[in-house]
Amino acid sequence: MEQILQAENLTKIHGPGCDQCIASTGPDVGSNICPHCGSVVACADVSFNLHQGEILGVVGESGSGKSTLVQMLYFDVIPTSGRAIFFEDDQEWDLFSLNAAAQRQLRNRRFGMVYQNPRLGLNFNVSAGGNIAERLLMSQVREFAAIRERAKELLDRTQVPVARMDETPANFSGGMQQRVQIAKALATNPPLLLLDEVSTGLDVTVQARILDLILELQQQLGIAMVVVTHDLEVVRLLATRTLVMKSGRVVESGLTDQVLEDPQQAYTQLLVSSAL
């Protein structure tokens, strides 16, 4: 499999920052708040590679930095330092050195994002079909009939009744809103999909359907995914490899089965034992 994404030392510090932020925070001290300047080290020195068609899980407790990681990759958050390279068709893009227009183009055409809160990923003022149309229009698709046909196809694929495509997401259940988000994210056939706690807050049955849908789409379409979650069962089901994060740092990484069946770090051991 060819590499699609390479992240190197991604770091995000909220606040003024100082030369002691990194050394004074992290799992060893049990905090991501710098005692010297009060800055929050949301994420520090995170590196990984992602290959085509692979699912990478990122797991950790609230405040571990896992959501910040995908928000940086989707240009929602500007990193303090580090770099990320996106590879496609013998080309490569150094994501954080691109100008704003180039970043928007990648975000709109080649990346997809599904947020925990559907209101961040959907426009609740337009219909489900209209949400998909918005993404297609940003990608220079202009023919109305083609847009509507593509919207029907995507809603059907993500198990949203096509008869409801002209209703707004506000009329839908939480699980259906997430499926519309996934349909919207897939509109441009992106090779990379970022998923941030997509099953959190849903009841167990709906959660299982969403996870089955994600796995089915990945197998059918060969999309590379970064899946952020606090739930070990989600990474066990979806991810080939897993990063475990605490206090903004990666404390353990490896093949998912190895990480979950034979955790080496005390924090991972605690996560696994608490999930049993």
Side-chain angles (χ1 to χ4, degrees):
M1 292 187 294
E2 293 186 11
Q3 186 170 243
I4 190 169
L5 185 66
Q6 178 182 331
E8 299 175 357
N9 301 313
L10 287 180
T11 298
K12 178 61 183 178
I13 299 174
H14 296 286
C18 70
D19 57 7
Q20 298 183 71
C21 278
I22 303 298
S24 303
T25 59
D28 292 341
V29 297
S31 174
N32 62 355
I33 301 174
C34 177
H36 305 284
C37 69
S39 296
V40 176
V41 182
C43 197
D45 295 326
V46 176
S47 300
F48 64 87
N49 295 317
L50 181 69
H51 294 85
Q52 291 178 351
E54 181 182 23
I55 299 180
L56 176 72
V58 184
V59 67
E61 63 195 0
S62 178
S64 63
K66 57 191 188 298
S67 291
T68 299
L69 178 61
V70 292
Q71 288 165 4
M72 287 191 289
L73 294 171
Y74 200 58
F75 308 117
D76 283 338
V77 169
I78 300 170
T80 302
S81 61
R83 67 197 298 244
I85 314 284
F86 174 65
F87 304 90
E88 188 182 30
D89 298 333
D90 298 322
Q91 289 184 279
E92 58 182 69
W93 290 265
D94 190 340
L95 297 185
F96 308 124
S97 67
L98 298 173
N99 62 36
Q103 288 182 345
R104 276 196 306 274
Q105 190 172 61
L106 276 179
R107 174 183 166 116
N108 292 337
R109 298 186 184 184
R110 309 313 295 144
F111 300 168
M113 179 73 160
V114 182
Y115 296 91
Q116 176 182 349
N117 181 353
R119 288 187 176 275
L120 295 177
L122 295 174
N123 182 346
F124 273 55
N125 295 317
V126 300
S127 67
N131 270 275
I132 296 170
E134 281 185 348
R135 186 159 166 88
L136 290 169
L137 287 167
M138 286 190 291
S139 298
Q140 308 305 311
V141 179
R142 293 287 184 259
E143 188 184 340
F144 176 79
I147 289 173
R148 192 160 178 86
E149 195 57 39
R150 178 68 172 151
K152 288 179 181 177
E153 174 195 335
L154 287 162
L155 292 172
D156 183 58
R157 177 167 240 160
T158 53
Q159 301 164 16
V160 177
V162 172
R164 300 189 66 183
M165 72 179 292
D166 294 320
E167 292 184 47
T168 64
N171 293 343
F172 295 164
S173 67
M176 197 176 293
Q177 287 172 357
Q178 289 298 54
R179 291 197 288 272
V180 175
Q181 252 206 112
I182 294 169
K184 181 177 181 177
L186 294 176
T188 57
N189 292 316
L192 175 62
L193 191 60
L194 308 168
L195 302 128
D196 189 6
E197 298 277 16
V198 294
S199 59
T200 300
L202 303 176
D203 69 50
V204 174
T205 305
V206 175
Q207 184 179 99
R209 287 191 195 128
I210 293 290
L211 296 177
D212 285 344
L213 172 63
I214 290 166
L215 200 56
E216 179 184 325
L217 291 169
Q218 190 274 337
Q219 291 169 347
Q220 289 176 353
L221 304 174
I223 304 170
M225 299 185 184
V226 179
V227 176
V228 164
T229 182
H230 67 277
D231 189 337
L232 294 183
E233 289 308 309
V234 172
V235 293
R236 191 188 300 275
L237 175 67
L238 297 180
T240 310
R241 289 186 299 118
T242 295
L243 307 179
V244 181
M245 294 189 67
K246 178 176 172 55
S247 300
R249 313 300 203 278
V250 174
V251 296
E252 188 158 357
S253 64
L255 295 173
T256 300
D257 288 346
Q258 292 178 348
V259 169
L260 297 185
E261 299 301 328
D262 186 24
Q264 300 300 303
Q265 300 300 315
Y267 176 68
T268 314
Q269 292 166 2
L270 180 63
L271 279 183
V272 170
S273 64
S274 65
L276 296 176

